[in-house]
Amino acid sequence: MSSSWNSEPLHVSYEALGWFAFVCWSISFYPQVILNFRRKSVVGLNFDFILLNLTKHTAYLIYNASLYFSSTIQKQYREKYGEKEMIPVAANDVAFSIHAVLLTAISLFQIAIYDRGSQKISKIAYGILLVAWSIAAVCFFIALHNHHWLWLLSIFTAIQISMTVIKYIPQAVMNFMRKSTDGWSIGNILLDFSGGLGNYLQMAMQSIDHGSWMNFYGNIGKLLISLVSVFFDILFMIQHYLLYPASKRKSETSPDLDNPKSSNRQLSDNV
């Protein structure tokens, strides 16, 4: 038994907001990729962030694709949350996840081919990934035995949330240590923030239509991921615009304005 919408305007709003979030989140990957390409350098971009982000989006893709396409998992979801409850994963969620994995992989490839300075992926990041995927593997074989696929998706949700909380910390610390956000694209943050707000509004449309907030509880991963992302987006905006603004960096470094290369490099670093 599938659920239907009571209000067509709310349904249209839900779809529009979903694709708005998808577009914002999808485009948010490009400023950093373009910045890396223009500079032919990834100095200032934290490598742990990219590696952990790839794990996060891979887990998110597994969750979204499984819940969206598998009738077995959808049945288990409705048995747990109610037959009238709608599946809290839309087509834009799946599309975003696929796109996110591809673009994050491109960023990782750029790290391999562009100037890295003295930066490298930390042993801590490698250790976190080893633990996360080892847990996922063990839980997969447990689910394979008892067919508790919805429970398995909850494990991937936990991985998503964990990676989301952890992944931003290295970049925030690096910005603090360098007293600069050069090499870290603020365009990525602004678009990610817009997508997060669109995501909340999308989920609210579904809740208002059904008179139930169960879709927030039933997709707690999506909710918590957005909350954490918005928190760090605000932190990065504070770092970029208030703590380490471009004007302050220029006054401290005093670049040679008569030197075109120096001036151009300053501009490209602040994209």
Side-chain angles (χ1 to χ4, degrees):
M1 179 179 177
S2 60
S3 300
S4 59
W5 285 83
N6 299 312
S7 169
E8 188 60 26
L10 286 175
H11 185 194
V12 173
S13 298
Y14 172 87
E15 295 293 340
L17 287 167
W19 286 107
F20 170 78
F22 164 74
V23 171
C24 288
W25 279 337
S26 297
I27 296 176
S28 73
F29 290 91
Y30 289 93
Q32 187 68 57
V33 171
I34 294 172
L35 179 61
N36 295 342
F37 175 77
R38 290 175 58 188
R39 298 168 68 232
K40 297 297 186 291
S41 170
V42 289
V43 175
L45 173 63
N46 190 276
F47 303 165
D48 290 0
F49 166 77
I50 297 298
L51 192 62
L52 295 172
N53 203 26
L54 182 61
T55 296
K56 178 259 183 180
H57 286 302
T58 301
Y60 194 40
L61 173 58
I62 292 172
Y63 174 89
N64 284 333
S66 299
L67 191 53
Y68 187 77
F69 291 109
S70 174
S71 58
T72 299
I73 297 178
Q74 290 176 4
K75 180 180 179 182
Q76 292 180 4
Y77 179 89
R78 291 196 172 100
E79 287 176 350
K80 180 176 182 179
Y81 294 105
E83 288 295 328
K84 295 184 178 181
E85 292 299 326
M86 297 178 67
I87 300 301
V89 174
N92 62 274
D93 294 316
V94 180
F96 166 76
S97 297
I98 295 173
H99 182 268
V101 169
L102 291 176
L103 266 293
T104 307
I106 290 175
S107 294
L108 195 61
F109 177 70
Q110 288 181 318
I111 289 174
I113 64 174
Y114 290 151
D115 175 33
R116 300 185 296 274
S118 60
Q119 295 178 212
K120 60 182 180 180
I121 298 173
S122 70
K123 292 180 180 179
I124 294 177
Y126 283 126
I128 291 173
L129 295 190
L130 178 62
V131 171
W133 288 111
S134 295
I135 291 174
V138 170
C139 291
F140 170 77
F141 286 108
I142 293 175
L144 189 64
H145 174 71
N146 55 30
H147 302 289
H148 290 172
W149 301 115
L150 188 62
W151 168 79
L152 179 61
L153 290 191
S154 71
I155 301 301
F156 282 104
T157 295
I159 293 175
Q160 296 168 45
I161 297 172
S162 299
M163 292 301 107
T164 302
V165 172
I166 296 171
K167 73 174 185 176
Y168 290 110
I169 296 175
Q171 185 68 58
V173 172
M174 175 181 282
N175 293 344
F176 172 76
M177 297 297 292
R178 297 170 70 231
K179 297 295 184 291
S180 170
T181 56
D182 287 345
W184 171 244
S185 176
I186 192 62
N188 162 39
I189 300 305
L190 297 176
L191 287 164
D192 186 64
F193 182 75
S194 299
L197 294 181
N199 173 69
Y200 288 134
L201 290 174
Q202 182 196 30
M203 297 177 74
M205 292 301 103
Q206 184 175 343
S207 295
I208 293 172
D209 183 79
H210 283 69
S212 168
W213 296 95
M214 184 58 69
N215 69 307
F216 280 88
Y217 307 128
N219 199 357
I220 191 67
K222 184 177 181 180
L223 176 63
L224 292 179
I225 287 169
S226 295
L227 279 173
V228 172
S229 295
V230 167
F231 169 79
F232 277 101
D233 287 340
I234 294 174
L235 173 62
F236 286 128
M237 284 188 278
I238 291 174
Q239 286 186 322
H240 185 81
Y241 292 113
L242 299 179
L243 298 180
Y244 321 122
S247 58
K248 183 177 180 180
R249 295 195 298 273
K250 288 179 181 178
S251 64
E252 291 176 349
T253 56
S254 299
D256 181 6
L257 297 180
D258 293 330
N259 187 336
K261 290 185 178 180
S262 174
S263 179
N264 290 339
R265 183 58 174 269
Q266 281 282 333
L267 290 173
S268 65
D269 282 358
N270 292 324
V271 172

